[in-house]
Amino acid sequence: MNVVCLDMEGVLVPEIWIAFAEATGIPELKRTTRDEPDYDKLMRYRLDILKEHHLGLKEIQATIAAIDPLPGAKEFLDELRTLTQVIILSDTFEQFAKPLMEKLNWPTIFCNTLEVAPDGAITGYKMRCEKSKLTTVRALQSCGFDTIAAGDSFNDLAMIQASKAGFLFRSTPAIRADYPQIPAYEDFGDLLNAIRAALD
């Protein structure tokens, strides 16, 4: 049995932190997992900026409320879910993901959790497990699933490379150049066709 594992931000929805950077006028928050391979380092950097500017969960959620899925993402996901099981594996947080999952017709998502103070300040975060995407793919494989994975960032590479088929989707030129062996796509139709072929 197959299961498709998809990244969320940059693949199905716009990057939340980039949208928040634009909303707040803080360009430093545009840094994402496309730029920084070390997720812990990236999150500590983000939390320091939030603290410096006295910004918290409420402000980020207000930005997320205005974010819509990427054009064609919902239709792609709906069609894919008629073909096989799909799980979104994301390093985002429950507090960010829920309104976006509603707009995508409630797919299954495995993600992380923010630690939030009573005043709404984000004080930390709790990862679901170490190397969450690769760990989840390995766990699914141990249960008898063949995994097919797609993502756009450094933190997707391990799950892509560990799967029976893996794809880059709307990734950066640098990542595509460093991993030429991974098929790369820009269009949802092309990605759907590649996954469909991998399911056969």
Side-chain angles (χ1 to χ4, degrees):
M1 182 178 284
N2 295 289
V3 59
V4 173
C5 300
L6 297 175
D7 180 36
M8 183 181 80
E9 292 180 68
V11 173
L12 299 171
V13 304
E15 294 278 354
I16 290 169
W17 288 98
I18 290 177
F20 189 59
E22 292 171 349
T24 58
I26 304 172
E28 293 84 359
L29 286 173
K30 288 187 176 181
R31 192 165 180 79
T32 72
T33 52
R34 290 175 166 219
D35 311 300
E36 175 54 67
D38 186 329
Y39 189 74
D40 184 61
K41 180 179 177 181
L42 177 63
M43 277 305 300
R44 284 188 276 109
Y45 169 80
R46 289 167 168 169
L47 294 182
D48 286 345
I49 293 171
L50 293 180
K51 185 176 180 180
E52 177 187 345
H53 291 272
H54 306 289
L55 295 168
L57 181 59
K58 179 181 176 183
E59 290 81 8
I60 299 174
Q61 287 179 327
T63 295
I64 293 170
I67 293 176
D68 288 320
L70 293 167
K74 182 180 181 299
E75 294 77 11
F76 161 77
L77 199 54
D78 287 346
E79 178 67 18
L80 184 57
R81 291 164 75 191
T82 70
L83 303 175
T84 189
Q85 299 297 310
V86 180
I87 300 173
I88 297 172
L89 301 182
S90 176
D91 281 338
T92 193
F93 306 97
E94 293 175 312
Q95 295 93 333
F96 291 0
K98 187 174 180 180
L100 297 168
M101 294 304 97
E102 182 176 6
K103 292 178 181 180
L104 287 169
N105 198 26
W106 298 113
T108 298
I109 183 170
F110 294 173
C111 59
N112 305 308
T113 305
L114 289 170
E115 296 170 349
V116 183
D119 65 356
I122 301 172
T123 58
Y125 62 97
K126 184 177 181 182
M127 300 295 283
R128 183 171 49 80
C129 57
E130 188 176 353
K131 297 180 180 177
S132 60
K133 296 184 183 188
L134 176 61
T135 300
T136 303
V137 160
R138 291 293 192 209
L140 289 165
Q141 291 167 346
S142 76
C143 297
F145 288 97
D146 287 325
T147 60
I148 299 167
D152 68 326
S153 297
F154 284 109
N155 64 338
D156 300 312
L157 292 169
M159 74 168 180
I160 289 170
Q161 293 172 316
S163 294
K164 82 165 185 178
F167 311 102
L168 290 169
F169 186 68
R170 298 183 180 176
S171 190
T172 66
I175 292 175
R176 291 198 305 269
D178 286 345
Y179 296 88
Q181 72 277 20
I182 302 176
Y185 300 101
E186 297 292 317
D187 180 80
F188 281 116
D190 292 338
L191 179 60
L192 183 63
N193 288 337
I195 294 172
R196 197 191 304 268
L199 291 170
D200 293 340

